[in-house]
Amino acid sequence: MMKRIFFSVFSLWLLIPATVSAANYTNFLFAVKSDLKPFARDLGGLLGSGSNQTARALGFSGFDISVKSAMQFAPEKGNTILEKDHSFGLTLVQADIGMPYRLDGFIRAGSSSRLTVAGGGIRYGLRKVSDAPKYMQTMLVVMGDLAVHKFFYASHFNSSLMFSFNAAHVSPYFGVGLDYTRLTPQNTNDTSFIGKKVTVFEPRYTFGLRVKLDLIYMAGGVTFTHGVTLANAGAGVRF
């Protein structure tokens, strides 16, 4: 059973990064005004999905280096910038460090389809850190990102409440969050909205499984936000 769970999570981790280059953000050049909010919602959901896959704090001097990917199965109906019924995604490298008082800090960055993302944030464990069986971890997460493309840039902020449950090698996790995204067009055929900011604010719900073998872990989950579904995956080394 454990091998099957590990294989399922591993397969998801391989599948998602293989699809993340599918987005064609260059179609933003032909955007119309009605595209902007749906596009901003899709971008914000992508940035917020899979950013955290456990509620256990690292502990002082702990360290985590990982690769995290998110994939949306299709753009929101009103988003005609991205191809209809076509998946798109993003992969980021993330580094976390444990600090006193159950605080973790992290930074992350990546580039895909000529979209460059950099950001980071703080996590705070609400309960004492423990690896005891059947123990529920709870964590608050606050983070922000900047996403830059030659045709637009966006700032993204989110806050999340995460839960994870200790089990032998496998830890289910669940999260509720809010994504705030501000999109600024920089280059489009319709010059009337160049430089004008569009903001969206959307809830996000995530659940999944994290598999840990010694220092190595893999995670896979599903996110629901603004009426669309995303898959997320992560793998890394955690000390």
Side-chain angles (χ1 to χ4, degrees):
M1 181 66 178
M2 181 61 196
K3 289 183 178 179
R4 275 184 281 182
I5 293 173
F6 185 83
F7 179 76
S8 298
V9 174
F10 182 68
S11 298
L12 180 62
W13 185 82
L14 290 177
L15 174 65
I16 294 176
T19 65
V20 296
S21 62
N24 183 13
Y25 295 111
T26 57
N27 287 336
F28 195 90
L29 183 65
F30 310 105
V32 296
K33 191 173 182 179
S34 60
D35 286 320
L36 298 184
K37 284 198 172 184
F39 180 82
R41 284 191 287 266
D42 282 344
L43 183 60
L46 192 66
L47 292 169
S49 176
S51 55
N52 203 66
Q53 293 161 327
T54 182
R56 184 193 186 282
L58 280 168
F60 182 54
S61 76
F63 186 73
D64 186 327
I65 182 74
S66 63
V67 176
K68 299 186 185 299
S69 295
M71 179 187 72
Q72 187 168 314
F73 295 105
E76 183 182 327
K77 185 177 180 180
N79 177 8
T80 64
I81 295 170
L82 299 177
E83 294 180 66
K84 182 180 179 181
D85 299 324
H86 202 287
S87 63
F88 59 97
L90 183 67
T91 295
L92 300 174
V93 176
Q94 183 167 311
D96 307 56
I97 187 167
M99 299 181 289
Y101 305 109
R102 300 192 300 276
L103 283 171
D104 293 347
F106 63 94
I107 56 173
R108 62 185 198 149
S111 182
S112 178
S113 304
R114 299 182 181 179
L115 177 71
T116 300
V117 176
I122 293 288
R123 297 194 299 253
Y124 173 63
L126 296 175
R127 300 190 69 194
K128 180 181 177 181
V129 176
S130 173
D131 292 317
K134 301 181 181 180
Y135 185 78
M136 179 73 75
Q137 308 276 0
T138 311
M139 174 176 279
L140 284 173
V141 185
V142 179
M143 60 174 289
D145 298 291
L146 289 176
V148 179
H149 190 278
K150 65 184 295 185
F151 296 141
F152 63 87
Y153 70 86
S155 56
H156 165 259
F157 302 93
N158 79 46
S159 58
S160 302
L161 177 63
M162 296 293 302
F163 303 88
S164 61
F165 183 76
N166 292 347
H169 299 294
V170 180
S171 296
Y173 64 87
F174 174 76
V176 179
L178 295 170
D179 290 306
Y180 171 87
T181 308
R182 175 175 287 182
L183 175 72
T184 306
Q186 292 296 293
N187 189 1
T188 68
N189 288 340
D190 186 344
T191 59
S192 66
F193 52 81
I194 290 178
K196 294 184 178 179
K197 294 176 173 57
V198 173
T199 60
V200 292
F201 189 71
E202 295 291 336
R204 169 177 34 83
Y205 309 93
T206 299
F207 67 90
L209 286 176
R210 181 171 170 271
V211 181
K212 188 174 185 295
L213 296 174
D214 297 323
L215 300 178
I216 300 172
Y217 68 89
M218 290 186 178
V222 179
T223 297
F224 301 99
T225 178
H226 66 280
V228 299
T229 303
L230 299 92
N232 53 77
V237 178
R238 188 178 177 101
F239 299 92

